[in-house]
Amino acid sequence: MADPTGSLTPISPPDLRAANYQASRRLVTPQRLCDFFAPRNVAMVGASDNSGWARMIITSSAQADSPGKLFPVHPKAKSAFGIPAVPSLRDLPEPVDLAFILTGLPAVESVLDDMGAAGIKNAVVLAAGYREVGEEGRKLEDAMVARAIANDVTILGPNCLGFVNAQTRSAPYALNLQPPLLAGPVGVALQSGALASVVLGFAKLHGIGLSTLTSMGNESMMKTVDFIDYLVEDDATKVICLFLEEIGDPERFALAAERADKAGKPIVALKVGSSPAGQKAALAHTGSVAGDDAVVNAAFQQLNIIRVNTLEDLLTTGALLGDGRIPRGRRMGVLTASGGSCDIIADASSTQGIEIPDFSPQTEAAIAPHMPPFGNPHNPLDVTAFGTLANLNARTSTMTPMDIALDAAADDPNLDFILFVGLNPPDVRPPDDAMAETFENRVSWIAERMASSPIPVIPVGTTCNDLSPYGKEQLTAKGITLLPGLQLGINAIGNALRWQENRGNVHLALGGRSATTVPVPASGSWSEQQARDLLADAGVPVVPGGLATSADEAVAIAAKVGLPVAMKICSAQIVHKSDIGGVALGMSSEAEVRVAYEKVRAAGDAVAGATIDGVLVTPMRTGGTELLVGVTVDPTFGPVLAVGLGGVWVEIMHDSSLRVLPVDAVDAAEVRRMLAELRGL
């Protein structure tokens, strides 16, 4: 087995894995990936007339109008789908930029050797049967990566279906690609192969332009975080959309998120695996470990990553953020032709914390003369069907009431942005040339007014209907992105507002954590006294108190800390003390302390298998709100701080706030934000 330097010295699997990781860093830099995702000539290794994968790559490349050539490579086949084949990569008639390896798993490493000999630097590996099937597959994947490193080859995959770069028209993609391919600002990484076609289809039907989209496969060498770094450096990409089953390297992921935030490139993520069934599916799919969902929420909040729950929300939010018309405030003007739409918008906006203030008197005065007698010029505005039809057939330079409302509201000082539900492209170009010209002129005017408006104008469709080819052609030619549906559109606006408000506040520093020097008890439940000792030894203030093993000791401790006191059984095996009668509160005399000690101790002694350390005696505290503060260790992100209402309330109300540690080493701002998130305070 070759190591990453090309020698034949055997290396143990854990050491090989670590060596692979370090050596592969030089092969996945943004500069290397810039070449990787913009190939011209592509070799299809294993392509023949019997290869459905090769057929898909040929079709996708043709549909994308790829500028380069495809070269089938097969040891026996003379051609593939009419394209002459060569027996080996060493026999190519001209240089290629990328090899798409379609062979079965046993042949992959020999193909990598051929790549090294031919000077081909980039490979997509289709084959499955690696780490997603277990430890034996992981060893095969480690060996494959080592062979790639030895040949100076960057790998995407294995278990990968390829990518599409809409900017360069490169499409080495082994699934169906529906034309036309619309170039735009949205970069997409998917820890799923087949979902790539779903994403491409939704983007096509709703006029959402893409920069680069890729499936990540098993991420044996190129990780999702490497692709994020590439997109941060890519001038064509303005927003980064992710479908995630795992976060394999949380420290590098946090650094990449910080770089994206500084570059002004939002990250929108659909993270799956929140349920036990979802975690099991993710593990079987690509060998991923999904992690705790509440902790993921907290980490994303700290990293200013927008988390969404559906593919539709992922792409709609990406479309809005990529369009660049991001609101700077929460005051929304609403222009529609339907009272029912106004109702839907009002409810959805309330959920997102978006305000619908009154129009200014000047705006109302400009709109009012163009409304029907039964309408009113208030925000949210329903211009009614009259407002959409007035003057439409004869329109040349005369604006409809909807257009007049847009023209006036764009300069309204009471508004931060406008939700414009006033575009409804026809399914086909109207057969009447005058009507077609009317519609096309109106689209041009709206585009010009959007460009000149001092506040963002956000066009939204009433429903998530697909755009017709004619409508999409007209809107995209004028630079208009029509968000698909009221609910999706307002969700996207709420997401964009949260991203805008949190810009510059990424503060999840996972690197450089120093191990505690305080001795930590063995794993499992601790007694309260053990926890108090740990905190005190680390310099954390704790409520005064002491552990009593007799009534006399309890009385002495009570006299020292001051009456009244609280008394609790202390045992690592008794977690819920009040459930067994192991708590006594408000003991205000020596006699009460003695009686309480015997009662609490007897309750603890009655619990089978419990080791009783004693009875903890502490002073009663009144006049405040009881809080729970705890730290757990997440398998992905490490130590996590939890704050919630104290006592039994945290479990009854499920009211808590989480942050991945460390939290705000400079001041207490983040802790204050945590407390503000608690509904019970």
Side-chain angles (χ1 to χ4, degrees), residues 92 123-124 134-135 170 184 212 246 250 329 418 434 467 530 579 660 666-667:
L92 288 167
V124 177
E135 186 56 33
S170 304
T212 305
E246 69 167 340
I418 295 169
L467 284 174
Q530 282 178 298
D579 291 353
V660 177
V666 178
D667 56 36

Side-chain angles (χ1 to χ4, degrees), residues 161 164 173 175-178 188 190 192-206 208 210 213 215 243 270 310-316 466:
L161 294 170
V164 175
Y173 177 60
L175 284 179
N176 194 31
L177 178 65
Q178 293 292 333
V188 183
L190 301 155
S192 167
L195 280 185
S197 288
V198 176
V199 169
L200 286 165
F202 188 90
K204 168 184 173 291
L205 292 171
H206 296 283
I208 300 171
L210 304 178
L213 174 145
S215 62
F243 174 84
L270 172 55
T310 68
L311 287 171
E312 293 87 350
D313 277 316
L314 179 74
L315 293 171
T316 305
D466 302 339

